[in-house]
Amino acid sequence: MLVVLAAAAGWPLVRTIWFSFTDAKLSTLGSAGFTGFANYLEYVDYGDGTGEYFGLLAEPGWWSAVWNTVYFTLVSVALETVFGLVVALVLNAEFRGRALVRAAVLIPWAIPTVVSAKMWAWMMNDQFGILNDMLMRVGLISAPIAWTANPDTAMWAVIIVDVWKTTPFMALLILAGLQMVPGDIYEAAKIDGIHPVKVFWKVTLPLIRPALMVAIIFRALDSLRVFDLIYVLTPANDQTKTMSVFAQENLFQFDQFAYGSAASTLLFLTIALITIAYIKLGRVDLGSEGR
């Protein structure tokens, strides 16, 4: 397994990191020359007492992509966690037709991301989209909104689609945690007359915390490297450009393979550091007693 991982993931990662320290282009990958940290940050002295920083860390476009990625991740994962928890609690209850509802809830997650993005792009179209038509019929808006083109709504359009598509995934993982909670606990709480809200905060939430944290970290990893949804739904939009989209543009569209490799390397380091910090800060001690 380690050999397969090293071949499938480790070697491409090492190559990408190496190219980030070179002047590689798509046509000259085999003869790329070493340039050090020039792609990341380089100070150019003009010889007259002035100079200027160049490189990825000095480019405003990169930091804008970083902020877009972080903002998208925080908002989308937070909403998906809340909605996923609500859906999981509903699906965990006993009612007629529960199996059918569980299957129906998973449909958005089963649809490929590219298909979802194109479907919502049509729905959000400012001329013939059904979303604008519905909102205008109920009086919430007075004129059609270009959801994916308007700078004020483009990011929220992406978030809406992501939440719609991925909430079922969160609900599925949280539901698995709920299924492992012993039913005797709820029966004892009911006999003692404890309010259901208090039972949720004091019993249910602590017991499903491991499953909840796994769901959050899985979704956070996906959100930090989001590409296909934004690339299809809002192409060439600076308001929604993420680190992955920034790297792809430089790698293949602008023929700056070394620069794009540097962006990919920083994206990998960002995800790795956030993951390590999340695991360390949110570690669940299953062996603790009375704490």
Side-chain angles (χ1 to χ4, degrees), residues 121-185:
W122 283 93
M123 293 171 60
M124 292 180 172
N125 189 277
D126 58 327
Q127 296 182 8
F128 43 77
I130 190 175
L131 185 60
N132 280 315
D133 181 68
M134 294 174 57
L135 294 177
M136 291 177 65
R137 286 178 182 272
V138 298
L140 292 179
I141 60 175
S142 58
I145 300 175
W147 292 93
T148 59
N150 191 321
D152 297 328
T153 60
M155 178 58 76
W156 278 103
V158 174
I159 291 174
I160 289 172
V161 179
D162 188 71
V163 170
W164 173 83
K165 175 175 174 55
T166 321
T167 293
F169 173 77
M170 296 288 285
L172 187 65
L173 294 183
I174 297 172
L175 180 61
L178 288 171
Q179 294 286 299
M180 298 182 67
V181 178
D184 297 343
I185 297 178

Side-chain angles (χ1 to χ4, degrees), residues 104-286:
V105 166
L106 292 176
I107 291 177
W109 183 48
I111 298 176
T113 303
V114 175
V115 177
S116 298
K118 293 301 293 184
M119 178 180 68
W120 277 91
W122 283 93
M123 293 171 60
M124 292 180 172
N125 189 277
D126 58 327
Q127 296 182 8
F128 43 77
I130 190 175
L131 185 60
N132 280 315
D133 181 68
M134 294 174 57
L135 294 177
M136 291 177 65
R137 286 178 182 272
V138 298
L140 292 179
I141 60 175
S142 58
I145 300 175
W147 292 93
T148 59
N150 191 321
D152 297 328
T153 60
M155 178 58 76
W156 278 103
V158 174
I159 291 174
I160 289 172
V161 179
D162 188 71
V163 170
W164 173 83
K165 175 175 174 55
T166 321
T167 293
F169 173 77
M170 296 288 285
L172 187 65
L173 294 183
I174 297 172
L175 180 61
L178 288 171
Q179 294 286 299
M180 298 182 67
V181 178
D184 297 343
I185 297 178
Y186 296 114
E187 293 181 6
K190 186 177 182 180
I191 293 174
D192 293 338
I194 302 177
H195 196 278
V197 175
K198 188 174 183 180
V199 173
F200 171 76
W201 288 106
K202 297 295 184 180
V203 178
T204 304
L205 199 57
L207 289 177
I208 67 171
R209 185 180 172 216
L212 189 62
M213 294 184 65
V214 170
I216 291 174
I217 194 170
F218 277 7
R219 275 304 303 139
L221 290 176
D222 282 341
S223 297
L224 286 170
R225 60 174 185 257
V226 62
F227 171 77
D228 46 1
L229 176 61
I230 292 177
Y231 189 78
V232 175
L233 190 63
T234 57
N237 192 326
D238 291 337
Q239 280 71 38
T240 60
K241 184 182 296 184
T242 59
M243 290 187 282
S244 294
V245 177
F246 182 94
Q248 189 273 342
E249 287 180 345
N250 283 277
L251 281 167
F252 302 109
Q253 295 185 24
F254 304 155
D255 196 20
Q256 295 180 323
F257 198 85
Y259 204 66
S261 297
S264 301
T265 301
L266 289 183
L267 173 60
F268 164 74
L269 292 176
T270 301
I271 294 176
L273 291 176
I274 291 177
T275 303
I276 293 173
Y278 181 84
I279 293 176
K280 292 292 184 180
L281 295 176
R283 178 172 296 169
V284 179
D285 186 5
L286 299 177

Side-chain angles (χ1 to χ4, degrees), residues 71-96:
Y71 181 81
F72 170 81
T73 300
L74 291 176
V75 176
S76 63
V77 173
L79 292 175
E80 289 159 8
T81 301
V82 174
F83 294 148
L85 182 58
V86 172
V87 173
L89 290 171
V90 172
L91 296 180
N92 192 50
E94 294 286 347
F95 59 89
R96 186 184 300 272

